[in-house]
C-alpha cells in the first residue's frame, strides 16, 4: 500500500521534513497548513520539490469549524474555502480534510451540517478537489466516525467522503467494526496514530502524546483491518502530534515512522517482509576503548582469560564459560572513550535476520570488514550499536570465531573456556544500552520488530538528578535480554553508563574472587542493608556478607536476585548477577545503585 | 510559622538537598526514605549534618500498606516498623508518616484499620515517636481526609494523629471546610503542594506534576486557612514530586520553594513582608554588547537618537519618545554576546520595591555601582536579568538619568526625546525574556509575587524545532508587559532570542522609515499573506503593504494588532507594534515568525 506522513509529525522546516520523508521511503505527505505558511517556497515550488522527491501531496488541512454554523459564518467559510482551493490547485493537492466543528456557535443539526458540507463539496468539485470529513474525538456535536459517516451519507455528494483517524476512534473506545459498513470508495482518507494508554484530557492526549503505530497501546492494526475490509485503497498516512518528535532530528524520526507502517502492513497481512529470525543467545559483546589496560584489569579480575586475538585487527577475545567479550582498541574509540559498541547475537539464520533488518530500514553494515575476515551479517540499531548475526561453531556457516587466533599473544595460558568452572561467570545475562533521548520509543519498536524480541513495560527509575526510564526486550527463554535506558533530558544522552551483566551461580564467591584479584566493587551504603533487614529475614551472616561486598538483593514471585557492580571504566561497568528464578533486572535497587555511582564519581573526581 | 521541605522535592544527593534547603531559609526537612538509603552517611551523621545546617528533621516516611491487612502481613509490618523506629531514634526524627493502604489484600474495615494503627502508635510511643496517618487520593479504601480522621478518632491513641496533604485533598475536589472540625493538636503534620489543573490519572498527576503553592491551580491558601483555623501549629511542609525539579539545580529550586511558602503565609495573613510596589512603567531596557556598532545601527534606523552617555561607564542612552535603551559595552558582554541584561522599572517607591524583593529572596544588587553613581535599588530575577527600581525625573528621589551627561560624545545632536514625533516609537510595549528551562514556573511566581504583576495563562507556541511555551506578566494598565518564554528542552536555554517590542501608532510608517534608513526587516513568507487574505478582508492595497514590509496582523475581541520584526543582533531583536486596543502578543503569528527567523539564520549562516 502507499504510505504517507503528515509534515506535523516531523521536526524542522518544510523542506527538511519533505527530504526526510522521501529518504525514509514514504510515497506521499499530508502538508500541515502552518508548515506551508511558514515556508519561503511558493505553492508551485513546494509542488515541484515534492515531485523531485517522488512524493505526492495526499492531503491538505487548511480549515476548521466549517459546518453547522450560523449563515453569515458559513458564508465567510465558503469565501475562505475558495481561497484555499485555489491554493491547493497551485499545490497539486486534491483532497482537503475538514474536521467536525468545535465552534461555540455550531448547532446540533445533522441536516444543516450535511447541507453545508454538500455546498462545500460542490465548490471543491469545481477545483477537482475532494472533501474528507472527519469526526474529532472532541468535536462539539460530531465526535464519532459513525456520526460523521451518517452526515456524509445524507449529504450524498460525489466530492464528499469521510476521513478515518485511528486516534479519534480508539481514544474514545469506539468499536471499529462498524467501519466495514462504510462503502470503501467513500473512505477518502485514513490517518494513523497510536498513543500510550493514558487517562487524561483527550485534546491534550491527542496534541502531545500521539506516537507511531506499535509504540502505544491502541489496536491500530485491528482498525486498519476493518478499513481494508471496507474496501479502502488509499494511503496509510501517519498524523502524529508528539512533543518529542517535534524536537528530534527529522531523518531518524521519518525512518522510525516508515518502519512502523511496514510492520503494520505485515501485521494486517498486506505485506510480507522476510520473517523475523529470533536470536537464541549472545555470542559476544564488543567494547571499544582507546586503552585496553583498565578493561583488561577488570576482565582479568572477573575471571576472564584472554583467549584469542583477531588475526588482522587490534581486537582481543576474552572468555569465561559462554561469556565472550571483545576488546577493540582500533582508532574509532579515540573520540568516544571506552564504550559498548557492538553485540553479537546467535542466530539460527544470520542472513535471514539481516534481510529482515534491511527490509525494516536498519542500516546494513559491510559484511566483510577486511579481506581475510569471515563474512558476517550486521546492521546498526537506532542508537548506533552494531548488531552482528552470528553462528558460533556451526560448521555450515561462516564463523566469526575463525577470525581469531587462539592463544596468539596471550600472556598466561589460562584459557578456561570449558564453562564448568565452579561459581565463575557462565554467560552474559543482559546488556544495558543507553538510548538517545529523542528515540526511546523507536528503540523498543526496532528490537521488537526487527529482532522479534518481546518488549516489557517501561519503568521509571529515580536517579538523583532526574527520572530515568528503562524497558527490557527479551527472547522467550531469556537467553537474550537487552535493557534499553534513557535519561531525564536530551542533555543526559552521554551521562548514563552502559553495562554488561554477567550470570553466575554464586555471586558471593564471584564477588569475593574479583576483590581478591584486585577488582573494586561499587560500595553500597550501609543504610541500604538496614532497610533489607527491616524488609526480609536472612540466614545468619548472610546480610553481613552482602554488606561487606556491596551485594544488592531483590525478589519477585519467581525467585531471588543477588547482584553487585564493578566500578565504571569509561562509559561501561559490569554487573555480576545470580538469578534464582527471578525475572526482573533489580529496578527496585536501581536508585541506590545510581546514587552510589554518583557518589563514587564525586569521590574519584571522574 | 516554621517551614519545611521534603527532600524528594529537590535534585541531587541527600547532602546537596540539605545544603540547598538550609541556604534557602527552611527550618526543617522531611527525609524521603530513598534519599537516606542511597546516602553514604549514617543516620547519626545525617542528624549531625542537619543540626549543623540549622534544620530539624520533621518527618520520616518509611512505610506503606500498614493497616487493614491480613494478620500475618500486619505482624511483618510491625516487625519492620520496629526497625524503622530504631532508625528514626538514631536520626532524631519524631514523626512518622503512614499513608492509607493500597495493598491488594487490604480490607474495607475501619475498626480493623483503627486497631492496627493503634498498635502501631503504641509501638511508636515506646520510641517517643508520633504516627501521622494520611489519606492518599488513590488509597484503596481510605482516600479522603475525613475518612482518615474518623479512623484516627476511633483509634484514640495519644501517639496517633492525622497528616493533611493539600494535593490529596484538592485533587479529589474535597471541601477543606471540614478540616475545622478536627482538633488542631490531632493534626500532626501538613504537607503542601499545588498542581496545574490537569484532567488525568491522579496517581500520575501526583507523582510527576506537583508544583509549589501559587504555581498551579489549587486554592492551597484556602486549605491552609482551614488548617490554621483548626489550631494546627506545626510546620508548613512542601512535598512536591515534579519531573522538572528532579533535574534542576537544587539551590535555585529551594529558593523558589521557600519563596512560595513566604507568599502563602502572606496570603493567609500569618506573615507581613513589605507590601508589593507595582511598577508603573518601563524606564529603560539595557543591552550589553561587545560591539556597539550593530546595535547602534539598528537603533538609529529605528529612529532612536543617542541622547546621553554615562559619566563614568561605557554606556550610551538611546531615546525616542519615552522609549529608552541603554547600550552597555563594558567587559561583561565579551563572554555572552549581545543580550538583554537589565530592565529599569518605574516605581512609585523604589526602596520599598527592593525591600519586598529582598524579603522574597531575590538577590539584592549593590545600590551604587561606582562612587559617583546615583544610588539605585536593584535585584536579580531568576533568569539573571537585573531589575532596577527607578524614579525617572522625580526630584525627591535619586535619578538614574543624572548619571548620564546629555549630548556628551553624541555625534549628531538629534535629541528628539520630546515624544510627539509623528508615527515614531513612543514607548517600550513589552519585553520578551527567555527563561532557563528548569525554572519557568518559578519565573512567573517571581514576577507575580515580587513585582505584584498579573500572570496570564501560559500558551504553547510551535517552533519548527519544538514546542515553546510563553506566559505574559503585566501591570493593570499594560504599561509594564513582560513575556516569559521557554524552549522545548533544557538544551534550548540559549537558542531562543530575547526581544524588545516598541510601541508605535503607525507601524507602516515606522517600518518604512526603518527600511529607508538602511534597516533590515525579517522577511515573512508570501504564503502567510495568502492566508490573511483568506481569513480577513482588507482595504485596497493594505495587504500588499504588509507583504512588502513583512508586517504581521492579528485581532482579538478588543481590537487589531500589526507588528514586524528587525533581524536579530546577537541574541536580541526588536519588534515594532501597533496595538489598536488588542491585548495579546501575536501568539497566532509566532510560528511564522519563528520559522522565518530560522530561515534567516540559515541564509546568513548565523
Amino acid at each position: 500500500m502507499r504510505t504517507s506522513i503528515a509534515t506535523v509529525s516531523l521536526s524542522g522546516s518544510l523542506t527538511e521534513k519533505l527530504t526526510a520523508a522521501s529518504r525514509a521511503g514514504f510515497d506521499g505527505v499530508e502538508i500541515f497548513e502552518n508548515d506551508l505558511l511558514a515556508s519561503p517556497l511558493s505553492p508551485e515550488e513546494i509542488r515541484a520539490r515534492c515531485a523531485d522527491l517522488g512524493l505526492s501531496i495526499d492531503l491538505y488541512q487548511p480549515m476548521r469549524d466549517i459546518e453547522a454554523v450560523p449563515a453569515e459564518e458559513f458564508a465567510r467559510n465558503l469565501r475562505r474555502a475558495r481561497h484555499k482551493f485555489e491554493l491547493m490547485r497551485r499545490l497539486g493537492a486534491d483532497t482537503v480534510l475538514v474536521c467536525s466543528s468545535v465552534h461555540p456557535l455550531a448547532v446540533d443539526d445533522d441536516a444543516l451540517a450535511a447541507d453545508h458540507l454538500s455546498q462545500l463539496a460542490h465548490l471543491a468539485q469545481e477545483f477537482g478537489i475532494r472533501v474528507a470529513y472527519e469526526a474529532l474525538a472532541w468535536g462539539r456535536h460530531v465526535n464519532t466516525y459513525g456520526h460523521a459517516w451518517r452526515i456524509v451519507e445524507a449529504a450524498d455528494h460525489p466530492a464528499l467522503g469521510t476521513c478515518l483517524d485511528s486516534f479519534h476512534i480508539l481514544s474514545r473506545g469506539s468499536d471499529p467494526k462498524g467501519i466495514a459498513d462504510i462503502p470503501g470508495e467513500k473512505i477518502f482518507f485514513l490517518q494513523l496514530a497510536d498513543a500510550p494508554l493514558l487517562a487524561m484530557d483527550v485534546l491534550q492526549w491527542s496534541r502531545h502524546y500521539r506516537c507511531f503505530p506499535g509504540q502505544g497501546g491502541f489496536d491500530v492494526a485491528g482498525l486498519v483491518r476493518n478499513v481494508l475490509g471496507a474496501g479502502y485503497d488509499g494511503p496509510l498516512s501517519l498524523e502524529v502530534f508528539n512533543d518529542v518528535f517535534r524536537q528530534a532530528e527529522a531523518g531518524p524520526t521519518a525512518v522510525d515512522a516508515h518502519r512502523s507502517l511496514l510492520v503494520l502492513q505485515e501485521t494486517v497481512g498486506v505485506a510480507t517482509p522476510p520473517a523475523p529470525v529470533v536470536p537464541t543467545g549472545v555470542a559476544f559483546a564488543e567494547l571499544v576503548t582507546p586503552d585496553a589496560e583498565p578493561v583488561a584489569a577488570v576482565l582479568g579480575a572477573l575471571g576472564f582469560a584472554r583467549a584469542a586475538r583477531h588475526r588482522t585487527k587490534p581486537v582481543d577475545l576474552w572468555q569465561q564459560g559462554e561469556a565472550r567479550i571483545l576488546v577493540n582498541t582500533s582508532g574509532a574509540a579515540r573520540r568516544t572513550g571506552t564504550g559498548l559498541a557492538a553485540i553479537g547475537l546467535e542466530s539460527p539464520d544470520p542472513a535471514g535476520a539481516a534481510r529482515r533488518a534491511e527490509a525494516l530500514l536498519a542500516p546494513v553494515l559491510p559484511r566483510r570488514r577486511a579481506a581475510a575476515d569471515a563474512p558476517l551479517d550486521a546492521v546498526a540499531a537506532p542508537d548506533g550499536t552494531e548488531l552482528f548475526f552470528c553462528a558460533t561453531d556451526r560448521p555450515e556457516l561462516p564463523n566469526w570465531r575463525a577470525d581469531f587466533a587462539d592463544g596468539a599473544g596471550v600472556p598466561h595460558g589460562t584459557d578456561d573456556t570449558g564453562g564448568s568452572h565452579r561459581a565463575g561467570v557462565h554467560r552474559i545475562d543482559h546488556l544495558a544500552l543507553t538510548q538517545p533521548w529523542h528515540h526511546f520509543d523507536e528503540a523498543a519498536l526496532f528490537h521488537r520488530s526487527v529482532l522479534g524480541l518481546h518488549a516489557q513495560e517501561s519503568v521509571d527509575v529515580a536517579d538523583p538528578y532526574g527520572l530515568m526510564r528503562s524497558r527490557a526486550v527479551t527472547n522467550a527463554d531469556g537467553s537474550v535480554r537487552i535493557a534499553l535506558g534513557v535519561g531525564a533530558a536530551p542533555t543526559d544522552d552521554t551521562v548514563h553508563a552502559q553495562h554488561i551483566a554477567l550470570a553466575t551461580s554464586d555471586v558471593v564467591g564471584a564477588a569475593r574472587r574479583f576483590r581478591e584479584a584486585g577488582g573494586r566493587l561499587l560500595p553500597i551504603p550501609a543504610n541500604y542493608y538496614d532497610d533489607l533487614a527491616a524488609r526480609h529475614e536472612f540466614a545468619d551472616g548472610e546480610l553481613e556478607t552482602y554488606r561487606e561486598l556491596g551485594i544488592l538483593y531483590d525478589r519477585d514471585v519467581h525467585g531471588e536476585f543477588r547482584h553487585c557492580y564493578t566500578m565504571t571504566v569509561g562509559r561501561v561497568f559490569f554487573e555480576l548477577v545470580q538469578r534464582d528464578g527471578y525475572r526482573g533486572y533489580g529496578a527496585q535497587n536501581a536508585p541506590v545503585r545510581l546514587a552510589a555511582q554518583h557518589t563514587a564519581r564525586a569521590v574519584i573526581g571522574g
Side-chain angles (χ1 to χ4, degrees), chain A:
Chain A
M1 297 184 70
R2 297 186 59 258
T3 57
S4 188
I5 186 167
T7 54
V8 74
S9 317
L10 301 171
S11 182
S13 68
L14 180 59
T15 48
E16 287 175 298
K17 293 170 188 227
L18 297 176
T19 306
S22 168
R23 285 199 185 146
F26 282 96
D27 303 303
V29 289
E30 301 177 32
I31 292 188
F32 197 65
E33 177 159 60
N34 265 346
D35 284 322
L36 181 132
L37 298 191
S39 172
L41 299 188
S42 71
E44 290 80 2
E45 287 168 329
I46 294 169
R47 177 187 200 151
R49 182 70 63 98
C50 287
D52 286 350
L53 291 166
L55 295 170
S56 55
I57 299 178
D58 294 326
L59 194 77
Y60 193 58
Q61 185 181 162
M63 292 180 295
R64 302 231 147 204
D65 297 337
I66 295 290
E67 84 287 10
V69 291
E72 191 183 320
E73 189 75 25
F74 182 67
R76 270 198 296 273
N77 286 346
L78 276 188
R79 174 182 171 279
R80 189 170 175 198
R82 180 176 289 276
H83 273 275
K84 296 301 176 183
F85 294 158
E86 278 162 7
L87 169 71
M88 287 175 66
R89 192 150 58 179
R90 297 167 63 196
L91 199 56
D94 66 0
T95 306
V96 67
L97 183 70
V98 172
C99 298
S100 60
S101 184
V102 297
H103 198 285
L105 298 178
V107 292
D108 187 9
D109 180 342
D110 286 3
L112 182 63
D115 176 53
H116 281 169
L117 290 171
S118 177
Q119 289 188 53
L120 183 74
H122 187 77
L123 177 63
Q125 204 171 24
E126 289 177 27
F127 292 84
I129 287 170
R130 310 187 308 167
V131 175
Y133 180 60
E134 171 186 86
L136 287 179
W138 54 90
R140 189 165 164 79
H141 302 294
V142 179
N143 45 42
T144 62
Y145 74 89
H147 193 175
W149 163 240
R150 285 196 302 277
I151 292 171
V152 168
E153 196 175 21
D156 191 26
H157 192 287
L160 179 67
T162 191
C163 172
L164 300 173
D165 180 305
S166 63
F167 182 89
H168 292 302
I169 295 170
L170 299 175
S171 65
R172 292 185 56 94
S174 298
D175 185 343
K177 286 215 184 66
I179 293 171
D181 300 334
I182 305 175
E185 73 276 9
K186 293 301 268 185
I187 303 174
F188 281 6
F189 211 71
L190 173 61
Q191 293 181 312
L192 297 177
D194 201 343
L197 300 180
L198 302 172
M200 70 184 298
D201 174 66
V202 69
L203 176 64
Q204 295 302 319
W205 191 18
S206 174
R207 295 233 172 120
H208 301 285
Y209 296 98
R210 288 183 178 212
C211 56
F212 298 126
Q215 295 180 354
F218 288 164
D219 180 14
V220 180
L223 180 136
V224 170
R225 277 196 198 95
N226 281 283
V227 178
L228 299 183
Y232 174 75
D233 65 357
L236 300 175
S237 187
L238 296 166
E239 188 189 34
V240 171
F241 303 87
N242 180 296
D243 289 357
V244 174
F245 297 160
R246 279 179 187 273
Q247 304 169 36
E249 220 185 315
T253 306
V255 169
D256 179 28
H258 203 225
R259 179 181 302 124
S260 78
L261 284 187
L262 297 174
V263 175
L264 179 72
Q265 289 177 80
E266 178 184 35
T267 308
V268 301
V270 297
T272 48
V277 181
V278 183
T280 55
V282 177
F284 62 81
E286 179 172 355
L287 298 174
V288 294
T289 179
D291 175 10
E293 285 320 306
V295 175
V298 174
L299 288 173
L302 283 167
F304 281 79
R306 190 154 56 171
R309 167 158 285 185
H310 196 279
R311 296 183 191 282
T312 59
K313 285 182 288 191
V315 181
D316 285 341
L317 165 62
W318 291 75
Q319 186 156 352
Q320 182 175 188
E322 292 300 310
R324 301 180 199 88
I325 294 173
L326 305 184
V327 179
N328 184 338
T329 49
S330 67
R334 298 273 142 71
R335 280 180 299 109
T336 53
T338 302
L340 182 53
I343 301 173
L345 295 167
E346 294 290 352
S347 177
D349 174 9
R355 278 195 301 276
R356 177 167 179 86
E358 184 174 13
L360 295 182
L361 310 178
V364 174
L365 305 173
R367 287 197 83 208
R368 207 185 276 273
R369 303 305 177 85
D373 292 356
L376 201 54
D377 295 288
V379 300
D383 64 357
T385 303
E386 299 183 351
L387 302 177
F388 290 88
F389 300 113
C390 305
T392 308
D393 299 329
R394 271 183 290 153
E396 75 279 17
L397 289 169
N399 187 1
W400 65 276
R401 191 63 181 74
D403 292 342
F404 288 80
D406 285 340
V410 177
H412 43 88
T414 52
D415 184 350
D416 64 348
T417 57
S420 62
H421 180 50
R422 190 184 101 7
V425 164
H426 49 87
R427 63 181 194 84
I428 290 177
D429 181 86
H430 66 274
L431 298 153
L433 300 174
T434 306
Q435 299 302 300
W437 193 83
H438 289 122
H439 294 282
F440 184 62
D441 287 334
E442 175 182 6
L445 179 60
F446 177 91
H447 286 90
R448 201 157 61 73
S449 64
V450 172
L451 303 181
L453 299 177
H454 170 73
Q456 300 180 351
E457 286 303 299
S458 151
V459 293
D460 282 350
V461 176
D463 178 273
Y465 298 94
L467 279 188
M468 298 183 60
R469 275 183 303 157
S470 176
R471 189 169 190 185
V473 292
T474 66
N475 66 357
D477 67 4
S479 60
V480 176
R481 299 173 191 258
I482 301 174
L484 306 166
V486 69
T491 42
D492 288 349
D493 275 5
T494 57
V495 172
H496 293 287
Q498 305 180 307
H499 78 266
I500 300 174
L502 301 166
T504 172
S505 54
D506 173 13
V507 72
V508 169
R512 221 182 268 291
R513 276 196 306 281
F514 175 68
R515 229 172 47 170
E516 283 160 7
R520 288 176 58 218
L521 289 164
L522 181 71
I524 300 299
N527 297 333
Y528 171 80
Y529 296 97
D530 291 347
D531 182 57
L532 273 192
R535 289 197 288 123
H536 304 289
E537 297 191 58
F538 292 96
D540 274 358
E542 192 179 353
L543 205 53
E544 286 61 41
T545 302
Y546 297 166
R547 191 192 300 255
E548 176 207 339
L549 293 167
I551 289 173
L552 300 146
Y553 177 86
D554 194 20
R555 65 166 65 152
D556 63 15
V557 293
H558 306 289
E560 292 181 303
F561 188 56
R562 297 169 178 84
H563 55 137
C564 61
Y565 298 92
T566 71
M567 300 297 271
T568 303
V569 180
R571 290 185 59 208
V572 179
F573 59 94
F574 297 88
E575 180 181 6
L576 288 165
V577 312
Q578 178 181 340
R579 189 186 276 283
D580 298 314
Y582 176 93
R583 298 197 185 162
Y585 298 83
Q588 157 92 10
N589 296 324
V592 169
R593 186 258 298 170
L594 287 160
Q597 289 178 321
H598 282 290
T599 304
R601 252 201 301 283
V603 169
I604 64 170

